[in-house]
Amino acid sequence: MYENKKSCASSDCNGRTWESIDWNKCEQAVNKLQARIVKAQKAGKFGKVKALQWTLTHSFYAKALAVKRVTSNNGKKTSGVDKILWSTPQSKFKAIVTLRRRGYKPQPLKRVNIKKSNGKLRPLGIPTMKDRAMQALYLMALEPVSETTADNYSFGFRKDRSTADAMARCHSLLSKKTSAQWILEGDIKGCFDHISHEWLMKNIPMDKSILQKWLKCGYVYNRELFPTEEGTPQGGIISPTIANMTLDGLQNLLETHFPWERVSGKSGWYCPKVRLVRYADDFIITGDTKEILEHSVKPLVADFLAERGLTLSEEKTKITHITDGFDFLGFNVRKFGDTLLTQPSKDRTKRMLSKVKDEIKRFRGDAQHELIMRLNPILNGWANYYKHSAASNVFRKTDYQIYKKLWRWALRRHGNKCKGWVKNRYFHRIDGRDWVFAVKRKNEKHEEYFIPITILFNTKIERYPQLKCDVNPFDPEWKQYLEKRRTAKMKMSLKGKRSLISMWERQNRNCVLCGQPITAETSWHTMSQQKNGRNHLCLVHDGCYQSVTHKKKK
């Protein structure tokens, strides 16, 4: 009885402060409950799953982690319709006690429209801080169930999965000589906005009262309140998981309808090669012939979606041959003879170059080193996204386009100087490579060094380790495998930087400021920290570094 009471917010928060919370203890307690939920779900004990979910959503540790999540992510400075932010330790700690099921009523969403790449507007619904924290709390209880029941080849908005895993799966499906030759490129029209509320209430295994309140809370646009009759708000923390659970089951449906068939002939067996790869609401389905995809697979998918209130987008859904290639998640996948190449798509390359051009134009009056500091994060992020594909040729061509833009920037600044003078001032020879846009600096010993712009072509192309697609991050059975995989991916991202690898391992692979894991997916920074009267370099999350430097400036 005493142990159960200790987990409740009312008893566990007395005489404590936000700074005194032991986050490792919180995570251990929540992880233990999530592992028990997975075990009960696998055993088919759905009553026990419900009881464990109730325990988790009423525990002090889970509530504290929920508040921490919404006050440390990118949306921590964005308020909802109530214009309230939890920015101080006192307000964060008080917020933990307010996360109660009894009497909870979510406020309407703040509607904001953002531009999509095709020029259309995407509506986002921004909940209040309290509603976000409640969603984060109930997500902790829902995610172990969703991961246990999810499709193996669904990669979007899931723990320890990324676009790189989806592209590795595409490559393994399409690279062989005997692979499928036809691809159905699927896209769901307004997926988040049109999911049937009735279907969600019947099939999402969480507290129905809370779920209904979120679905029916409405939204405010131009100071006017509108009701929500369908869909789940795109912008809520729990929405991606609910959308994923809505689309789960499509893989099993296709495997059931298109199994190996016994036919007369040499082999005696025939496979239609219908396989699914999905990332959120974007998916591809492979097939042996165009007729199978057009007359059998597409109607089956349409019926599956119609049951959930969704429809395929006629504009974006098409059937293509592998030799013509298709774009998926920013990559172009195409077969040249028997060789499959996955490269950056032309559209994404143009978009990145346009972003670089805008940055150069926007900061044309800034110093060279400031421009380099602004461009390098864009170029590093783009190179890291595509470094597991056949991107060398695209990197080389893109480097040349960026060089031309920087050359024009340099000439514009010195209209009265000759080109040789401009070249010697802004472009240097570094490691045998000439015409590198870089700035000269001197260290404490008055030795010269360069701060260069990122050269995309210098990015080493590496093969991405394919994921075991039945992995469950909440199941203790997979803990060892996931730890090895995270370590391998981090070491891959730090290849050639042994000092950073040893620093990362010395810190137990965690950020020294927030205590959360530093992985290959999380952006990180090096900073100097004083320990025993000496300055030591350490690895921290990029967001933690920004908050520390911001406080110092203040």
Side-chain angles (χ1 to χ4, degrees):
M1 288 290 288
Y2 180 75
E3 283 299 316
N4 288 336
K5 199 174 179 182
K6 279 289 282 184
S7 68
C8 295
S10 58
S11 61
D12 206 34
C13 66
N14 292 333
R16 296 182 65 182
T17 61
W18 180 259
E19 293 88 348
S20 67
I21 295 174
D22 186 342
W23 296 111
N24 288 330
K25 191 176 179 183
C26 289
E27 284 187 8
Q28 286 169 9
V30 170
N31 290 345
K32 192 174 179 181
L33 276 172
Q34 288 175 327
R36 290 177 65 192
I37 290 171
V38 170
K39 187 178 178 181
Q41 180 69 32
K42 285 166 74 176
K45 299 176 181 178
F46 305 118
K48 191 172 184 180
V49 169
K50 195 173 178 181
L52 289 167
Q53 285 180 322
W54 191 95
T55 304
L56 194 151
T57 53
H58 287 72
S59 74
F60 170 78
Y61 298 128
K63 290 177 182 180
L65 286 173
V67 173
K68 186 184 180 185
R69 176 172 178 174
V70 300
T71 55
S72 58
N73 61 14
N74 293 332
K76 63 184 177 183
K77 295 180 182 177
T78 306
S79 62
V81 291
D82 61 356
K83 298 181 181 178
I84 293 174
L85 291 175
W86 298 334
S87 52
T88 63
Q90 292 82 5
S91 62
K92 291 175 189 177
F93 191 73
K94 285 178 183 176
I96 297 173
V97 188
T98 65
L99 302 184
R100 293 195 187 99
R101 182 184 182 278
R102 183 177 294 176
Y104 170 66
K105 186 179 179 182
Q107 292 184 271
L109 307 167
K110 183 169 75 174
R111 173 60 65 90
V112 177
N113 292 318
I114 60 169
K115 260 192 177 182
K116 293 165 75 174
S117 57
N118 59 5
K120 294 181 180 179
L121 294 176
R122 173 183 281 129
L124 286 182
I126 302 173
T128 62
M129 290 291 275
K130 181 179 177 180
D131 293 335
R132 268 178 269 171
M134 283 293 282
Q135 287 189 18
L137 176 63
Y138 278 84
L139 179 61
M140 289 181 210
L142 181 63
E143 259 190 320
V145 178
S146 70
E147 284 291 337
T148 308
T149 59
D151 288 349
N152 286 350
Y153 303 116
S154 160
F155 298 95
F157 304 116
R158 292 179 64 188
K159 266 191 171 185
D160 294 293
R161 295 182 185 230
S162 63
T163 51
D165 295 303
M167 297 316 298
R169 173 63 182 165
C170 285
H171 194 274
S172 69
L173 277 178
L174 299 167
S175 59
K176 301 178 185 71
K177 285 184 180 180
T178 55
S179 296
Q181 299 295 301
W182 292 91
I183 295 94
L184 170 69
E185 301 172 60
D187 186 86
I188 300 166
K189 194 174 182 180
C191 179
F192 282 85
D193 301 324
H194 299 299
I195 301 173
S196 165
H197 284 184
E198 188 181 345
W199 190 92
L200 291 175
M201 291 300 297
K202 285 180 182 176
N203 295 279
I204 300 298
M206 64 169 288
D207 191 313
K208 304 298 181 186
S209 172
I210 296 291
L211 178 60
Q212 186 171 33
K213 286 177 182 178
W214 285 335
L215 295 176
K216 300 295 183 184
C217 66
Y219 66 91
V220 174
Y221 186 64
N222 289 337
R223 298 186 179 183
E224 191 177 347
L225 179 64
F226 296 88
T228 46
E229 300 299 332
E230 59 180 4
T232 176
Q234 192 168 353
I237 289 175
I238 203 169
S239 297
T241 301
I242 290 176
N244 261 337
M245 294 187 80
T246 305
L247 299 175
D248 284 336
L250 182 56
Q251 178 185 313
N252 289 336
L253 181 71
L254 293 171
E255 287 175 358
T256 305
H257 276 76
F258 301 98
W260 283 82
E261 298 174 3
R262 184 111 191 164
V263 292
S264 57
K266 289 183 180 178
S267 63
W269 289 92
Y270 166 71
C271 180
K273 300 171 188 174
V274 176
R275 297 289 181 268
L276 171 76
V277 181
R278 180 167 67 83
Y279 190 93
D281 59 336
D282 292 328
F283 62 88
I284 63 157
I285 300 174
T286 64
D288 198 34
T289 63
K290 186 177 181 180
E291 288 71 27
I292 285 176
L293 293 176
E294 195 164 3
H295 301 301
S296 301
V297 173
K298 194 175 176 183
L300 190 67
V301 173
D303 291 342
F304 174 85
L305 295 175
E307 189 185 335
R308 291 151 174 77
L310 302 171
T311 55
L312 284 171
S313 169
E314 293 298 327
E315 180 189 345
K316 296 180 182 178
T317 302
K318 48 193 175 182
I319 298 170
T320 52
H321 195 268
I322 192 63
T323 54
D324 297 325
F326 64 94
D327 288 350
F328 185 54
L329 304 178
F331 293 85
N332 178 261
V333 184
R334 188 176 175 186
K335 217 165 191 177
F336 298 86
D338 291 332
T339 306
L340 184 81
L341 290 184
T342 304
Q343 305 175 84
S345 68
K346 289 181 181 179
D347 178 57
R348 289 295 180 93
T349 306
K350 284 179 184 176
R351 210 187 300 178
M352 192 276 290
L353 285 171
S354 176
K355 193 174 182 181
V356 168
K357 181 183 176 182
D358 291 343
E359 288 291 310
I360 293 171
K361 189 176 180 181
R362 186 181 168 195
F363 301 103
R364 56 179 174 263
D366 285 17
Q368 185 187 10
H369 74 276
E370 290 177 356
L371 181 63
I372 290 172
M373 292 300 110
R374 291 185 183 279
L375 291 180
N376 275 358
I378 298 170
L379 299 175
N380 284 328
W382 199 76
N384 287 333
Y385 186 77
Y386 290 108
K387 71 180 181 180
H388 301 296
S389 64
S392 293
N393 199 34
V394 178
F395 283 168
R396 180 177 53 80
K397 290 177 180 178
T398 309
D399 277 332
Y400 179 63
Q401 294 296 325
I402 293 168
Y403 151 74
K404 288 201 295 184
K405 290 173 172 50
L406 293 171
W407 177 239
R408 284 196 293 269
W409 175 88
L411 289 175
R412 181 188 173 278
R413 293 169 71 89
H414 304 281
N416 59 342
K417 298 286 186 181
C418 69
K419 291 181 178 179
W421 185 92
V422 174
K423 188 264 179 190
N424 291 332
R425 179 179 175 88
Y426 292 106
F427 296 86
H428 305 278
R429 189 175 189 86
I430 302 174
D431 297 332
R433 186 189 183 104
D434 204 4
W435 288 88
V436 178
F437 189 74
V439 64
K440 272 186 182 179
R441 284 285 181 266
K442 286 186 178 180
N443 58 20
E444 295 172 354
K445 298 178 182 178
H446 301 285
E447 295 171 344
E448 283 190 347
Y449 67 97
F450 292 102
I451 302 174
I453 197 164
T454 297
I455 307 295
L456 297 173
F457 190 69
N458 288 349
T459 306
K460 189 175 179 182
I461 304 299
E462 296 173 321
R463 188 178 180 87
Y464 188 79
Q466 194 167 343
L467 179 77
K468 290 182 180 178
C469 291
D470 53 343
V471 65
N472 185 341
F474 298 100
D475 193 339
E477 291 178 10
W478 291 97
K479 186 178 178 182
Q480 195 174 0
Y481 168 77
L482 285 170
E483 280 182 1
K484 282 183 180 178
R485 185 174 170 79
R486 288 168 193 153
T487 303
K489 285 169 74 175
M490 189 64 178
K491 286 182 176 178
M492 189 188 292
S493 69
L494 296 174
K495 206 165 189 178
K497 301 173 184 175
R498 290 184 180 177
S499 58
L500 289 178
I501 293 172
S502 60
M503 193 189 303
W504 176 63
E505 288 180 336
R506 195 165 55 245
Q507 295 172 198
N508 294 324
R509 305 169 185 178
N510 294 329
C511 171
V512 295
L513 296 178
C514 68
Q516 296 299 309
I518 294 176
T519 64
E521 285 77 25
T522 55
S523 53
W524 48 267
H525 207 286
T526 55
M527 69 170 282
S528 182
Q529 191 182 50
Q530 236 185 16
K531 193 176 181 182
N532 300 328
R534 291 183 179 182
N535 285 332
H536 295 272
L537 273 178
C538 57
L539 284 177
V540 295
H541 288 126
D542 198 34
C544 298
Y545 176 79
Q546 297 293 344
S547 63
V548 168
T549 51
H550 182 65
K551 284 177 185 175
K552 284 182 180 177
K553 283 178 185 177
K554 277 191 174 182

